[in-house]
Amino acid sequence: MNTQDIIQKKRDGKAMSAEEIGFLVRGISDGRIPDYQIAAWAMAVYFRGMTEQETSDLTLAMAYSGEVMDLSAIAGKKVDKHSTGGVGDKTTLVVIPLAAAMGVPVAKMSGRGLGHTGGTIDKLESIPGFQAERSHAQFVAQVNSIKAAVVSQTGNLVPADKRLYAIRDVTATVDSIPLIASSIMSKKIAAGAEGIVLDVKVGSGAFMKHIDEARQLAREMVQIGKGVGREVVAVISDMSQPLGYAVGNALEVDEALRLLHSGHGPADLEELSVELTARLVMLAGRYSNVETARQQTRKCLAGGAGYDKLTEMVAAQGGRLDEKDPHYGLPQAAFQVPVRADRDGYVGVVDAFQVGRTAMLLGAGRERIGDTIDPAVGVMVHKKKGDWVQEGDVMAVIYANRQQLLPTALKCLADSYRLVNMPPAAQSLIIDTVL
Ligand code: URA
């Protein structure tokens, strides 16, 4: 078997066998196959696609390319949640403590942000002292004692995906449905949870720009999970505008803490967090009816148990939140600069991709793996789709530490808004659920 023949087969639109996929994945993991052949193969997949069988074979080969977590030492049915990536998406910071406060063990491995999308580990690391790197024993002990832990992926989990993703990122081959499905599901399978809730984002700030693609991705991931005996539910949610108001690491932690503390927050963030938590606790076997699960989640949110659980989890991982400080002791940016409406009108668009890009330009995200990030900077969106604004009203505020970045960031943020004369058609936040 040789790599060139496999590339040629895919280039010509033929299906690869499980043996060929296994050979490829081994070569990606052990470095035997050079970057240029991996890139050529990824581009062939991008154009030719893969059958469901090939996607499932690729997922399994990648999942077992490194360490596979054994969570059997954690009591109860373990569940996990994953978002395909969005802007202002801090739902993990709300959902994990809520589910844990409802008695469901959540052992979560998370990633860092890349490009215009944020990552949960970067958000949590904006809390002074927070440690995302934990040994397996510490991880298991924490979930057994307080039901919740969010840690960074260990070095040896799915090494094939680590290398393949880095190559896809620089060869315009990230947004391929079978490659995304296998990348995400291989990590979820290796991370060991029995029940998985997927939040599949669709819209300008997501990898999937159209609903048909999002449905296809959701269906493929659910099928792959079920094929290996995991229970999987995918919620398809809108990512045409940022979720909530805050975009940027410490700003998002602040927003999540406030929501859990007061029981209320931005309506979209609250709605999606409740839905994902309800789906998670159902997978854990708590309720058989989704409406009951939603009601119980809302009750838990209103009672503040989620806030107590998040602060407990943060403290267990070395984080120091200052509850007397109005911003919980989170790092603050030096400058705040508003973007104002240049005329009266309705907000027709707050483009999630552009807002995410603004935050990245300010230093909240990484252009390349390994870039350092600034936890304090980002954007607070004040006006969202459908809001009425008058000329001069503040639509969004930039939080910056480096003055020289302001002109480009201000232009990028202003370009994310489009004002229109008539109220725009409302867009549902939760578009579909794939079981
Ligand atoms: N997130 C992942 O983990 N992998 C992808 O390919 C895309 C989003």
Side-chain angles (χ1 to χ4, degrees):
M1 208 175 287
N2 75 65
T3 313
Q4 206 172 320
D5 291 343
I6 301 175
I7 298 170
Q8 187 174 338
K9 199 168 182 186
K10 194 43 30 196
R11 183 202 67 188
D12 296 341
K14 299 192 184 115
M16 298 170 291
S17 67
E19 290 70 34
E20 286 166 331
I21 289 172
F23 172 84
L24 202 68
V25 169
R26 278 192 302 281
I28 294 174
S29 310
D30 64 19
R32 202 173 21 84
I33 302 181
D35 285 3
Y36 50 83
Q37 283 190 312
I38 299 171
W41 171 80
M43 191 56 85
V45 171
Y46 179 89
F47 282 114
R48 292 297 195 167
M50 292 206 288
T51 63
E52 280 184 18
Q53 187 60 50
E54 285 177 291
T55 309
S56 165
D57 291 341
L58 178 62
T59 308
L60 289 188
M62 292 217 293
Y64 293 97
S65 65
E67 195 186 337
V68 174
M69 301 294 283
D70 176 6
L71 300 182
S72 57
I74 299 174
K77 191 168 171 192
K78 279 74 65 182
V79 291
D80 192 357
K81 90 140 267 272
H82 186 88
S83 153
T84 58
V87 177
D89 181 10
K90 69 283 292 173
T91 52
T92 295
L93 303 177
V94 180
V95 170
I96 299 316
L98 280 177
M102 293 167 82
V104 171
V106 202
K108 174 141 181 66
M109 291 206 154
S110 253
R112 294 177 194 281
L114 190 58
H116 70 282
T117 64
T120 302
I121 293 299
D122 293 327
K123 296 176 214 235
L124 283 167
E125 283 181 346
S126 71
I127 301 170
F130 186 88
Q131 289 163 24
E133 266 146 47
R134 312 297 269 173
S135 68
H136 183 68
Q138 286 173 317
F139 181 50
V140 167
Q142 186 175 322
V143 182
N144 272 333
S145 71
I146 65 165
K147 297 263 187 278
V150 180
V151 302
S152 58
Q153 222 168 277
T154 69
N156 202 27
L157 201 85
V158 197
D161 178 66
K162 204 166 279 169
R163 183 156 177 235
L164 178 55
Y165 193 91
I167 294 171
R168 287 167 57 209
D169 188 43
V170 290
T171 55
T173 49
V174 169
D175 45 353
S176 145
I177 291 174
L179 293 182
I180 295 176
S182 51
S183 165
I184 291 176
M185 290 309 291
S186 60
K187 285 178 285 202
K188 293 292 108 184
I189 291 167
E194 294 144 90
I196 303 160
V197 174
L198 299 166
D199 179 10
V200 177
K201 304 280 189 197
V202 57
S204 81
F207 287 117
M208 299 294 106
K209 310 290 181 209
H210 305 288
I211 182 64
D212 295 346
E213 297 169 332
R215 280 208 176 90
Q216 172 77 12
L217 177 62
R219 272 197 298 264
E220 289 202 12
M221 291 197 290
V222 169
Q223 280 314 317
I224 292 169
K226 284 185 176 166
V228 290
R230 311 289 164 102
E231 284 180 69
V232 190
V233 175
V235 174
I236 301 177
S237 69
D238 178 54
M239 185 30 73
S240 58
Q241 64 176 344
L243 190 68
Y245 298 118
V247 181
N249 300 291
L251 294 168
E252 293 188 40
V253 172
D254 197 334
E255 186 166 78
L257 279 162
R258 242 168 249 285
L259 167 62
L260 289 168
H261 210 165
S262 66
H264 288 292
D268 56 352
L269 176 62
E270 196 178 320
E271 181 187 349
L272 187 57
S273 300
V274 167
E275 183 65 19
L276 295 172
T277 310
R279 295 286 173 185
L280 212 51
V281 297
M282 275 184 78
L283 280 190
R286 285 294 131 123
Y287 310 99
S288 53
N289 173 302
V290 69
E291 197 38 57
T292 311
R294 288 184 191 124
Q295 271 167 16
Q296 293 301 319
T297 305
R298 281 191 211 104
K299 216 158 119 187
C300 177
L301 175 62
Y307 175 78
D308 295 341
K309 188 53 77 180
L310 182 56
T311 54
E312 191 181 12
M313 186 191 90
V314 166
Q317 293 184 233
R320 294 181 302 276
L321 288 170
D322 179 356
E323 297 187 48
K324 293 196 200 80
D325 181 89
H327 297 290
Y328 302 96
L330 293 162
Q332 300 297 305
F335 312 103
Q336 295 183 17
V337 187
V339 166
R340 295 178 187 276
D342 56 6
R343 68 171 183 99
D344 294 0
Y346 290 96
V347 176
V349 174
V350 191
D351 188 277
F353 173 74
Q354 287 280 117
V355 178
R357 227 185 123 61
T358 308
M360 194 193 75
L361 289 171
L362 291 164
R366 306 182 174 77
E367 205 137 14
R368 289 276 149 267
I369 293 169
D371 289 353
T372 49
I373 59 164
D374 183 340
V377 301
V379 173
M380 284 301 290
V381 171
H382 286 220
K383 300 289 179 190
K384 296 195 51 165
K385 186 172 172 181
D387 287 345
W388 168 255
V389 292
Q390 285 184 316
E391 187 180 339
D393 280 355
V394 173
M395 296 196 295
V397 176
I398 277 184
Y399 287 64
N401 272 330
R402 285 188 285 161
Q403 225 156 354
Q404 68 272 29
L405 300 175
L406 285 175
T408 317
L410 280 166
K411 171 154 188 354
C412 193
L413 186 56
D415 286 348
S416 21
Y417 276 87
R418 200 161 68 235
L419 299 181
V420 293
N421 296 329
M422 301 295 287
Q427 161 72 56
S428 325
L429 174 65
I430 296 169
I431 298 167
D432 206 352
T433 305
V434 179
L435 300 166

